[in-house]
mmCIF file of all heavy atoms in Angstrom:
data_model
loop_
_atom_site.group_PDB
_atom_site.id
_atom_site.type_symbol
_atom_site.label_atom_id
_atom_site.label_comp_id
_atom_site.label_asym_id
_atom_site.label_seq_id
_atom_site.Cartn_x
_atom_site.Cartn_y
_atom_site.Cartn_z
ATOM 1 N N GLU A 1 96.746 108.857 93.949
ATOM 2 C CA GLU A 1 95.921 109.868 94.610
ATOM 3 C C GLU A 1 95.461 109.421 95.986
ATOM 4 O O GLU A 1 95.228 110.260 96.868
ATOM 5 C CB GLU A 1 94.723 110.255 93.738
ATOM 6 C CG GLU A 1 93.869 109.092 93.246
ATOM 7 C CD GLU A 1 94.244 108.642 91.848
ATOM 8 O OE1 GLU A 1 95.431 108.353 91.628
ATOM 9 O OE2 GLU A 1 93.335 108.588 90.985
ATOM 10 N N ILE A 2 95.355 108.113 96.205
ATOM 11 C CA ILE A 2 95.024 107.631 97.552
ATOM 12 C C ILE A 2 96.208 107.864 98.482
ATOM 13 O O ILE A 2 96.039 108.291 99.631
ATOM 14 C CB ILE A 2 94.646 106.138 97.508
ATOM 15 C CG1 ILE A 2 93.474 105.909 96.555
ATOM 16 C CG2 ILE A 2 94.295 105.632 98.907
ATOM 17 C CD1 ILE A 2 93.101 104.441 96.370
ATOM 18 N N ILE A 3 97.412 107.619 97.979
ATOM 19 C CA ILE A 3 98.618 107.891 98.770
ATOM 20 C C ILE A 3 98.692 109.369 99.129
ATOM 21 O O ILE A 3 99.021 109.737 100.264
ATOM 22 C CB ILE A 3 99.874 107.441 98.009
ATOM 23 C CG1 ILE A 3 99.848 105.917 97.813
ATOM 24 C CG2 ILE A 3 101.140 107.868 98.747
ATOM 25 C CD1 ILE A 3 100.955 105.388 96.926
ATOM 26 N N GLU A 4 98.378 110.242 98.175
ATOM 27 C CA GLU A 4 98.428 111.678 98.440
ATOM 28 C C GLU A 4 97.432 112.083 99.517
ATOM 29 O O GLU A 4 97.702 112.989 100.311
ATOM 30 C CB GLU A 4 98.171 112.461 97.149
ATOM 31 C CG GLU A 4 99.316 112.401 96.164
ATOM 32 C CD GLU A 4 100.641 112.825 96.778
ATOM 33 O OE1 GLU A 4 100.676 113.893 97.439
ATOM 34 O OE2 GLU A 4 101.626 112.094 96.634
ATOM 35 N N GLU A 5 96.290 111.426 99.566
ATOM 36 C CA GLU A 5 95.329 111.706 100.634
ATOM 37 C C GLU A 5 95.912 111.339 101.997
ATOM 38 O O GLU A 5 95.706 112.047 102.983
ATOM 39 C CB GLU A 5 94.026 110.943 100.398
ATOM 40 C CG GLU A 5 93.192 111.474 99.251
ATOM 41 C CD GLU A 5 92.642 112.864 99.520
ATOM 42 O OE1 GLU A 5 92.199 113.126 100.664
ATOM 43 O OE2 GLU A 5 92.652 113.683 98.587
ATOM 44 N N ALA A 6 96.637 110.240 102.052
ATOM 45 C CA ALA A 6 97.282 109.847 103.308
ATOM 46 C C ALA A 6 98.379 110.834 103.689
ATOM 47 O O ALA A 6 98.511 111.217 104.863
ATOM 48 C CB ALA A 6 97.847 108.436 103.186
ATOM 49 N N VAL A 7 99.160 111.256 102.702
ATOM 50 C CA VAL A 7 100.219 112.235 102.961
ATOM 51 C C VAL A 7 99.617 113.535 103.493
ATOM 52 O O VAL A 7 100.113 114.133 104.464
ATOM 53 C CB VAL A 7 101.042 112.490 101.690
ATOM 54 C CG1 VAL A 7 101.984 113.676 101.883
ATOM 55 C CG2 VAL A 7 101.828 111.236 101.307
ATOM 56 N N SER A 8 98.542 113.963 102.873
ATOM 57 C CA SER A 8 97.868 115.181 103.327
ATOM 58 C C SER A 8 97.376 115.043 104.762
ATOM 59 O O SER A 8 97.506 115.966 105.570
ATOM 60 C CB SER A 8 96.700 115.500 102.392
ATOM 61 O OG SER A 8 95.974 116.621 102.849
ATOM 62 N N ALA A 9 96.833 113.883 105.101
ATOM 63 C CA ALA A 9 96.353 113.659 106.466
ATOM 64 C C ALA A 9 97.509 113.666 107.456
ATOM 65 O O ALA A 9 97.399 114.227 108.559
ATOM 66 C CB ALA A 9 95.593 112.335 106.537
ATOM 67 N N LEU A 10 98.618 113.062 107.079
ATOM 68 C CA LEU A 10 99.796 113.073 107.944
ATOM 69 C C LEU A 10 100.272 114.506 108.205
ATOM 70 O O LEU A 10 100.590 114.878 109.339
ATOM 71 C CB LEU A 10 100.928 112.272 107.294
ATOM 72 C CG LEU A 10 100.816 110.747 107.323
ATOM 73 C CD1 LEU A 10 101.760 110.135 106.304
ATOM 74 C CD2 LEU A 10 101.135 110.220 108.724
ATOM 75 N N ARG A 11 100.316 115.302 107.152
ATOM 76 C CA ARG A 11 100.851 116.662 107.277
ATOM 77 C C ARG A 11 99.888 117.629 107.944
ATOM 78 O O ARG A 11 100.298 118.675 108.447
ATOM 79 C CB ARG A 11 101.235 117.183 105.890
ATOM 80 C CG ARG A 11 102.476 116.495 105.331
ATOM 81 C CD ARG A 11 102.803 116.946 103.927
ATOM 82 N NE ARG A 11 104.096 116.417 103.487
ATOM 83 C CZ ARG A 11 104.500 116.377 102.225
ATOM 84 N NH1 ARG A 11 103.698 116.822 101.268
ATOM 85 N NH2 ARG A 11 105.682 115.889 101.920
ATOM 86 N N SER A 12 98.620 117.291 107.953
ATOM 87 C CA SER A 12 97.631 118.200 108.538
ATOM 88 C C SER A 12 97.273 117.836 109.976
ATOM 89 O O SER A 12 96.321 118.366 110.539
ATOM 90 C CB SER A 12 96.355 118.212 107.682
ATOM 91 O OG SER A 12 95.753 116.931 107.648
ATOM 92 N N GLY A 13 98.043 116.916 110.565
ATOM 93 C CA GLY A 13 97.886 116.657 111.988
ATOM 94 C C GLY A 13 96.933 115.549 112.359
ATOM 95 O O GLY A 13 96.504 115.472 113.514
ATOM 96 N N ARG A 14 96.645 114.630 111.411
ATOM 97 C CA ARG A 14 95.734 113.520 111.726
ATOM 98 C C ARG A 14 96.539 112.332 112.251
ATOM 99 O O ARG A 14 96.440 111.216 111.733
ATOM 100 C CB ARG A 14 94.949 113.126 110.468
ATOM 101 C CG ARG A 14 94.215 114.265 109.779
ATOM 102 C CD ARG A 14 93.034 114.776 110.575
ATOM 103 N NE ARG A 14 91.988 113.789 110.668
ATOM 104 C CZ ARG A 14 91.037 113.634 109.753
ATOM 105 N NH1 ARG A 14 91.019 114.405 108.663
ATOM 106 N NH2 ARG A 14 90.097 112.719 109.914
ATOM 107 N N ASN A 15 97.332 112.568 113.271
ATOM 108 C CA ASN A 15 98.298 111.563 113.708
ATOM 109 C C ASN A 15 98.058 111.030 115.116
ATOM 110 O O ASN A 15 98.862 110.235 115.619
ATOM 111 C CB ASN A 15 99.710 112.135 113.613
ATOM 112 C CG ASN A 15 100.065 112.539 112.204
ATOM 113 O OD1 ASN A 15 99.994 111.724 111.291
ATOM 114 N ND2 ASN A 15 100.411 113.801 112.009
ATOM 115 N N GLN A 16 97.001 111.445 115.755
ATOM 116 C CA GLN A 16 96.676 110.936 117.082
ATOM 117 C C GLN A 16 95.540 109.924 116.969
ATOM 118 O O GLN A 16 95.049 109.635 115.881
ATOM 119 C CB GLN A 16 96.329 112.093 118.010
ATOM 120 C CG GLN A 16 97.376 113.205 118.052
ATOM 121 C CD GLN A 16 98.793 112.700 118.304
ATOM 122 O OE1 GLN A 16 99.005 111.778 119.096
ATOM 123 N NE2 GLN A 16 99.770 113.282 117.614
ATOM 124 N N TYR A 17 95.107 109.389 118.101
ATOM 125 C CA TYR A 17 94.085 108.359 118.091
ATOM 126 C C TYR A 17 92.850 108.784 117.295
ATOM 127 O O TYR A 17 92.309 109.859 117.514
ATOM 128 C CB TYR A 17 93.617 108.040 119.510
ATOM 129 C CG TYR A 17 94.638 107.357 120.388
ATOM 130 C CD1 TYR A 17 94.895 107.828 121.671
ATOM 131 C CD2 TYR A 17 95.320 106.230 119.943
ATOM 132 C CE1 TYR A 17 95.802 107.199 122.500
ATOM 133 C CE2 TYR A 17 96.238 105.591 120.767
ATOM 134 C CZ TYR A 17 96.473 106.084 122.044
ATOM 135 O OH TYR A 17 97.381 105.451 122.864
ATOM 136 N N ALA A 18 92.422 107.929 116.409
ATOM 137 C CA ALA A 18 91.106 108.094 115.788
ATOM 138 C C ALA A 18 90.054 107.520 116.734
ATOM 139 O O ALA A 18 90.379 106.736 117.633
ATOM 140 C CB ALA A 18 91.070 107.350 114.454
ATOM 141 N N PRO A 19 88.799 107.879 116.589
ATOM 142 C CA PRO A 19 87.760 107.252 117.406
ATOM 143 C C PRO A 19 87.798 105.734 117.250
ATOM 144 O O PRO A 19 88.076 105.215 116.162
ATOM 145 C CB PRO A 19 86.457 107.835 116.846
ATOM 146 C CG PRO A 19 86.860 109.094 116.169
ATOM 147 C CD PRO A 19 88.251 108.868 115.649
ATOM 148 N N GLY A 20 87.510 105.009 118.312
ATOM 149 C CA GLY A 20 87.536 103.547 118.269
ATOM 150 C C GLY A 20 86.730 102.955 117.133
ATOM 151 O O GLY A 20 87.202 102.044 116.440
ATOM 152 N N PRO A 21 85.509 103.435 116.869
ATOM 153 C CA PRO A 21 84.719 102.889 115.761
ATOM 154 C C PRO A 21 85.189 103.342 114.384
ATOM 155 O O PRO A 21 84.675 102.851 113.372
ATOM 156 C CB PRO A 21 83.302 103.421 116.023
ATOM 157 C CG PRO A 21 83.308 103.878 117.449
ATOM 158 C CD PRO A 21 84.707 104.322 117.719
ATOM 159 N N GLY A 22 86.138 104.286 114.328
ATOM 160 C CA GLY A 22 86.582 104.829 113.046
ATOM 161 C C GLY A 22 86.121 106.261 112.873
ATOM 162 O O GLY A 22 85.140 106.691 113.482
ATOM 163 N N ILE A 23 86.822 107.013 112.023
ATOM 164 C CA ILE A 23 86.420 108.402 111.798
ATOM 165 C C ILE A 23 85.073 108.420 111.069
ATOM 166 O O ILE A 23 84.768 107.522 110.282
ATOM 167 C CB ILE A 23 87.489 109.182 111.006
ATOM 168 C CG1 ILE A 23 87.672 108.602 109.596
ATOM 169 C CG2 ILE A 23 88.816 109.211 111.755
ATOM 170 C CD1 ILE A 23 88.528 109.470 108.679
ATOM 171 N N PRO A 24 84.252 109.433 111.317
ATOM 172 C CA PRO A 24 82.943 109.473 110.654
ATOM 173 C C PRO A 24 83.033 109.400 109.138
ATOM 174 O O PRO A 24 82.198 108.742 108.501
ATOM 175 C CB PRO A 24 82.369 110.810 111.137
ATOM 176 C CG PRO A 24 82.998 111.031 112.473
ATOM 177 C CD PRO A 24 84.392 110.489 112.341
ATOM 178 N N ALA A 25 84.037 110.048 108.533
ATOM 179 C CA ALA A 25 84.134 110.050 107.071
ATOM 180 C C ALA A 25 84.294 108.642 106.513
ATOM 181 O O ALA A 25 83.714 108.298 105.476
ATOM 182 C CB ALA A 25 85.303 110.933 106.623
ATOM 183 N N LEU A 26 85.078 107.807 107.184
ATOM 184 C CA LEU A 26 85.269 106.442 106.701
ATOM 185 C C LEU A 26 84.002 105.623 106.903
ATOM 186 O O LEU A 26 83.571 104.887 106.000
ATOM 187 C CB LEU A 26 86.444 105.778 107.411
ATOM 188 C CG LEU A 26 86.696 104.308 107.040
ATOM 189 C CD1 LEU A 26 86.883 104.138 105.537
ATOM 190 C CD2 LEU A 26 87.914 103.765 107.792
ATOM 191 N N ARG A 27 83.366 105.744 108.052
ATOM 192 C CA ARG A 27 82.146 104.975 108.291
ATOM 193 C C ARG A 27 81.047 105.380 107.307
ATOM 194 O O ARG A 27 80.302 104.533 106.801
ATOM 195 C CB ARG A 27 81.688 105.163 109.735
ATOM 196 C CG ARG A 27 82.559 104.377 110.720
ATOM 197 C CD ARG A 27 82.100 104.554 112.152
ATOM 198 N NE ARG A 27 82.600 105.791 112.715
ATOM 199 C CZ ARG A 27 81.915 106.576 113.532
ATOM 200 N NH1 ARG A 27 80.667 106.290 113.851
ATOM 201 N NH2 ARG A 27 82.460 107.672 114.020
ATOM 202 N N GLU A 28 80.979 106.659 106.997
ATOM 203 C CA GLU A 28 79.985 107.117 106.014
ATOM 204 C C GLU A 28 80.319 106.600 104.617
ATOM 205 O O GLU A 28 79.420 106.211 103.852
ATOM 206 C CB GLU A 28 79.923 108.643 106.028
ATOM 207 C CG GLU A 28 79.304 109.206 107.307
ATOM 208 C CD GLU A 28 79.587 110.682 107.508
ATOM 209 O OE1 GLU A 28 80.200 111.307 106.604
ATOM 210 O OE2 GLU A 28 79.223 111.219 108.582
ATOM 211 N N ALA A 29 81.600 106.584 104.280
ATOM 212 C CA ALA A 29 82.005 106.086 102.959
ATOM 213 C C ALA A 29 81.725 104.592 102.825
ATOM 214 O O ALA A 29 81.297 104.121 101.770
ATOM 215 C CB ALA A 29 83.489 106.374 102.724
ATOM 216 N N VAL A 30 81.960 103.833 103.895
ATOM 217 C CA VAL A 30 81.680 102.397 103.874
ATOM 218 C C VAL A 30 80.180 102.160 103.718
ATOM 219 O O VAL A 30 79.739 101.327 102.908
ATOM 220 C CB VAL A 30 82.215 101.716 105.147
ATOM 221 C CG1 VAL A 30 81.683 100.290 105.257
ATOM 222 C CG2 VAL A 30 83.741 101.724 105.164
ATOM 223 N N ALA A 31 79.372 102.901 104.477
ATOM 224 C CA ALA A 31 77.917 102.747 104.374
ATOM 225 C C ALA A 31 77.439 103.066 102.963
ATOM 226 O O ALA A 31 76.600 102.345 102.396
ATOM 227 C CB ALA A 31 77.221 103.634 105.401
ATOM 228 N N ALA A 32 77.976 104.133 102.383
ATOM 229 C CA ALA A 32 77.590 104.511 101.020
ATOM 230 C C ALA A 32 78.024 103.445 100.011
ATOM 231 O O ALA A 32 77.302 103.141 99.056
ATOM 232 C CB ALA A 32 78.201 105.864 100.668
ATOM 233 N N HIS A 33 79.198 102.880 100.217
ATOM 234 C CA HIS A 33 79.699 101.809 99.346
ATOM 235 C C HIS A 33 78.767 100.605 99.382
ATOM 236 O O HIS A 33 78.403 100.041 98.333
ATOM 237 C CB HIS A 33 81.106 101.414 99.801
ATOM 238 C CG HIS A 33 81.654 100.175 99.171
ATOM 239 N ND1 HIS A 33 81.369 98.905 99.625
ATOM 240 C CD2 HIS A 33 82.500 100.012 98.108
ATOM 241 C CE1 HIS A 33 81.994 98.018 98.882
ATOM 242 N NE2 HIS A 33 82.692 98.655 97.957
ATOM 243 N N GLN A 34 78.341 100.195 100.575
ATOM 244 C CA GLN A 34 77.467 99.025 100.691
ATOM 245 C C GLN A 34 76.109 99.266 100.021
ATOM 246 O O GLN A 34 75.550 98.367 99.386
ATOM 247 C CB GLN A 34 77.281 98.652 102.168
ATOM 248 C CG GLN A 34 78.564 98.199 102.879
ATOM 249 C CD GLN A 34 79.185 96.980 102.241
ATOM 250 O OE1 GLN A 34 80.016 97.075 101.332
ATOM 251 N NE2 GLN A 34 78.788 95.803 102.722
ATOM 252 N N GLU A 35 75.608 100.477 100.153
ATOM 253 C CA GLU A 35 74.322 100.783 99.518
ATOM 254 C C GLU A 35 74.474 100.897 98.003
ATOM 255 O O GLU A 35 73.638 100.373 97.245
ATOM 256 C CB GLU A 35 73.742 102.065 100.091
ATOM 257 C CG GLU A 35 72.365 102.389 99.535
ATOM 258 C CD GLU A 35 71.689 103.558 100.229
ATOM 259 O OE1 GLU A 35 72.339 104.247 101.038
ATOM 260 O OE2 GLU A 35 70.490 103.785 99.946
ATOM 261 N N ARG A 36 75.541 101.526 97.553
ATOM 262 C CA ARG A 36 75.736 101.750 96.124
ATOM 263 C C ARG A 36 75.953 100.437 95.377
ATOM 264 O O ARG A 36 75.393 100.235 94.286
ATOM 265 C CB ARG A 36 76.941 102.674 95.930
ATOM 266 C CG ARG A 36 77.218 103.090 94.502
ATOM 267 C CD ARG A 36 78.250 104.210 94.466
ATOM 268 N NE ARG A 36 79.582 103.823 94.897
ATOM 269 C CZ ARG A 36 80.154 104.190 96.041
ATOM 270 N NH1 ARG A 36 79.500 104.949 96.914
ATOM 271 N NH2 ARG A 36 81.387 103.787 96.343
#
């Protein structure tokens, strides 16, 4: 299912530069992981 998320991102046009610090969704997920 993690692979499928990547495939979905590839097909939906998430193929150009991400923000230098990382996409907000990943930074939020990391912050939530550290707190949890």
Side-chain angles (χ1 to χ4, degrees):
E1 53 264 54
I2 302 176
I3 296 173
E4 288 306 311
E5 288 293 319
V7 170
S8 176
L10 285 163
R11 289 176 172 163
S12 62
R14 306 290 293 274
N15 300 304
Q16 308 309 321
Y17 292 131
I23 64 170
L26 177 56
R27 285 180 279 142
E28 290 164 4
V30 169
H33 170 277
Q34 296 300 90
E35 184 172 9
R36 184 169 67 252

